[in-house]
Amino acid sequence: MAELPLHKVLLDESEMPTQWYNIVPDLPSPPPPPLHPGTKQPAGPEDFLPLFPPALIEQEVSTERYIDIPEAVQDIYRLWRPSPLYRAYRLEQALGTPARIYYKYEGVSPAGSHKTNTSVPQAYYNLQAGIRKLTTETGAGQWGTALAFACSLFDMECEVWQVGASYDLKPDRRTMMEVFGARVHRSPSTLTEAGRRLLAGRPDHPGSLGIAISEAVEVAAPDPEVRYALGSVLNHVLLHQTIIGEEALLQFAKIGQTPDLIIGCTGGGSNFGGLAFPFLREKLAGRISPVIRAVEPTSCPSLTRGVYAYDYGDTAGLTPLMKMHTLGHDFIPDPIHAGGLRYHGMSPLLSHIYQLGLIEALAVPQTECFAAALQFARTEGIVPAPEPTHALAACIREALACKESGEEKVILSVLSGHGHLDLSSYRAYLSGGMTDEQVTNDRFAPSLADLPQIPD
Ligand SMILES: *Cc1c(COP(=O)(O)O)cnc(C)c1O
């Protein structure tokens, strides 16, 4: 009898990892420290106290290799974790490739994306510190939804600034956040100094993640009862996402394979880092040797066309300065459909790892991404969120290269979310109304010229 194809690899609830993995102690050198935005000297933990609870600040600067996941968080994770590892067998057949394509599917979470892996512990640690309300930004709406969900479980308030372009295009996302009990504002808003300043110059301002962060930070920082939560970029966020890669390692062990190539999309770097870091640990220890590749949009290419420099995490310059790949904090990306990838910077930890040469990066235009998404939906049955279509497009490029070369590569990707609330983007693509922005260096020059000056 012919061997039946394998479609998915599942873990029992009892096999769910109970620790997150911190890659910092395993790196050949530590990432440069954040700087205080006023003094431009290394920022201490106390500089983050107006924004984050002590437990998250500890994780942010931790050099412990493993950090226990609190029982209460594990208990909530088990609502959807462990997540399945699928083999995209029908996609492989459609492509006629000898490559094997696997994807870890994070769209099974209540919010439909990987973001709940960090929203739940973030809300938990804030509640432990006596905080009753969190503010945040959201791009496409996935992070806002994930935080609203987590806050609803812990009976906390949640106030969200949603990037204007997404707010206008994706009203169902707003409704979903409201279903989970959040208050949602279009950003830039009239509720903050940062928002009012931008609206004065342009009443229909499309917003950006950097602007929405400024607004959420501006509201949280002065109020001792309110803290701010960030859905990507920071070390503690990438830490929480490592459960994706830890599970995937166990799943690959079950089928006795190892990936040759790991691919993920990067907005702020959290789903990619979450998948890749546990595999990078194994690679640094000499046990496996996968190539690890980040994929970003050509409209917002912080890794491939940004500079590695200290910059603010937000547009108004309220956050500590972080050394990262950046297009400049006042860069306003074209309103591409992958709202979650419209961020001017990149995780400082991932940027450092890129500088060390431990990962590769690639930029892909959005029409290629949506073509890949349709091929994926029509073979695998899942409509992907616009963000991970970047990873899918890169997987397909690689699978087609394997078809040429005859290589039987094992490719692993993460499908970070489903696109059920992103159908307006698919409508634009299907109607032929989606184009690719031609990005020349002039596009980045003004914001790159505006980077903060750091004395040596
Ligand atoms: C937010 C988001 C992203 C981008 O953020 P990362 O921190 O780079 O993962 C990607 N995919 C989905 C589904 C998202 O919600």
Side-chain angles (χ1 to χ4, degrees):
M1 198 173 96
E3 201 189 327
L4 289 172
L6 173 86
H7 289 294
K8 59 183 181 294
V9 187
L10 300 176
L11 297 174
D12 289 336
E13 281 184 29
S14 63
E15 293 173 287
M16 189 182 81
T18 56
Q19 293 183 311
W20 294 301
Y21 167 58
N22 178 15
I23 197 168
V24 171
D26 286 332
L27 293 175
S29 66
L35 304 181
H36 187 280
T39 64
K40 309 221 162 103
Q41 294 301 308
E46 65 287 352
D47 293 320
F48 293 94
L49 279 173
L51 294 183
F52 304 112
L56 289 176
I57 297 171
E58 252 169 60
Q59 292 181 357
E60 189 61 25
V61 299
S62 174
T63 51
E64 291 291 310
R65 187 170 280 114
Y66 293 100
I67 294 175
D68 289 336
I69 305 174
E71 295 274 347
V73 172
Q74 289 185 36
D75 194 48
I76 296 171
Y77 273 0
R78 290 198 181 90
L79 286 173
W80 69 95
R81 306 212 70 87
S83 71
L85 176 75
Y86 282 95
R87 178 161 172 200
Y89 186 70
R90 288 182 173 78
L91 176 64
E92 290 168 21
Q93 286 187 312
L95 295 169
T97 179
R100 276 167 289 177
I101 306 173
Y102 291 91
Y103 63 96
K104 185 80 171 141
Y105 184 41
E106 292 294 313
V108 292
S109 91
S113 78
H114 68 292
K115 297 260 177 29
T116 43
N117 297 333
T118 185
S119 70
V120 171
Q122 288 196 45
Y124 170 82
Y125 290 121
N126 273 287
L127 186 69
Q128 293 292 303
I131 300 301
R132 309 302 310 207
K133 176 175 163 179
L134 293 175
T135 68
T136 199
E137 75 295 332
T138 195
Q142 287 114 329
W143 168 241
T145 309
L147 193 68
F149 157 73
C151 286
S152 72
L153 292 184
F154 293 117
D155 218 6
M156 297 168 74
E157 276 182 66
C158 181
E159 192 167 0
V160 184
W161 276 262
Q162 184 175 9
V163 175
S166 292
Y167 184 95
D168 299 340
L169 199 67
K170 298 181 173 170
D172 290 340
R173 277 282 176 203
R174 176 169 81 245
T175 305
M176 190 148 170
M177 289 185 264
E178 288 168 353
V179 166
F180 285 124
R183 268 204 297 153
V184 186
H185 313 291
R186 186 188 191 280
S187 171
S189 76
T190 55
L191 300 166
T192 65
E193 186 52 45
R196 284 189 293 270
R197 210 165 42 230
L198 289 158
L199 283 177
R202 188 174 170 189
D204 65 341
H205 203 296
S208 73
L209 277 169
I211 295 167
I213 294 172
S214 294
E215 294 202 90
V217 166
E218 187 182 319
V219 169
D223 190 335
E225 320 234 294
V226 181
R227 291 289 182 275
Y228 163 72
L230 185 60
S232 183
V233 178
L234 297 179
N235 297 356
H236 67 267
V237 180
L238 273 65
L239 173 80
H240 300 155
Q241 294 296 351
T242 57
I243 190 159
I244 302 174
E246 293 291 7
E247 285 180 5
L249 272 171
L250 296 175
Q251 286 161 315
F252 268 93
K254 276 203 171 184
I255 54 174
Q257 295 186 22
T258 53
D260 300 304
L261 175 63
I262 295 173
I263 296 179
C265 69
T266 43
S270 75
N271 83 91
F272 173 79
L275 175 69
F277 288 175
F279 286 90
L280 188 51
R281 172 190 65 217
E282 300 303 306
K283 183 173 178 173
L284 289 168
R287 287 187 281 269
I288 54 175
S289 55
V291 170
I292 303 176
R293 187 173 296 156
V295 191
E296 59 186 10
T298 48
S299 285
C300 197
S302 54
L303 282 174
T304 54
R305 292 176 79 176
V307 296
Y308 185 53
Y310 273 105
D311 196 8
Y312 298 104
D314 70 317
T315 303
L318 303 177
T319 71
L321 291 158
M322 297 178 289
K323 187 138 190 196
M324 60 182 175
H325 285 84
T326 179
L327 297 164
H329 58 279
D330 43 22
F331 176 71
I332 306 292
D334 192 48
I336 55 161
H337 293 280
L341 305 184
R342 291 181 79 232
Y343 184 60
H344 65 273
M346 181 53 60
S347 148
L349 181 55
L350 201 62
S351 295
H352 175 63
I353 287 172
Y354 183 54
Q355 283 302 113
L356 289 172
L358 299 175
I359 60 168
E360 304 177 348
L362 171 75
V364 179
Q366 64 176 349
T367 54
E368 180 181 341
C369 297
F370 275 86
L374 290 199
Q375 191 166 25
F376 184 82
R378 289 170 186 178
T379 50
E380 294 297 310
I382 297 174
V383 180
E387 292 82 8
T389 64
H390 292 73
L392 288 174
C395 286
I396 289 177
R397 278 192 193 182
E398 190 69 30
L400 292 174
C402 287
K403 184 177 178 177
E404 288 294 310
S405 67
E407 269 180 291
E408 296 180 14
K409 268 189 199 168
V410 175
I411 303 171
L412 168 62
S413 189
V414 49
L415 186 53
S416 50
H418 68 63
H420 298 176
L421 296 176
D422 305 293
L423 293 178
S424 56
S425 307
Y426 281 90
R427 196 149 52 238
Y429 179 73
L430 290 168
S431 69
M434 187 183 286
T435 54
D436 291 321
E437 186 194 12
Q438 296 310 315
V439 266
T440 62
N441 287 337
D442 293 350
R443 181 79 176 79
F444 310 116
S447 54
L448 287 178
D450 208 18
L451 287 172
Q453 297 300 313
I454 308 298
D456 291 333

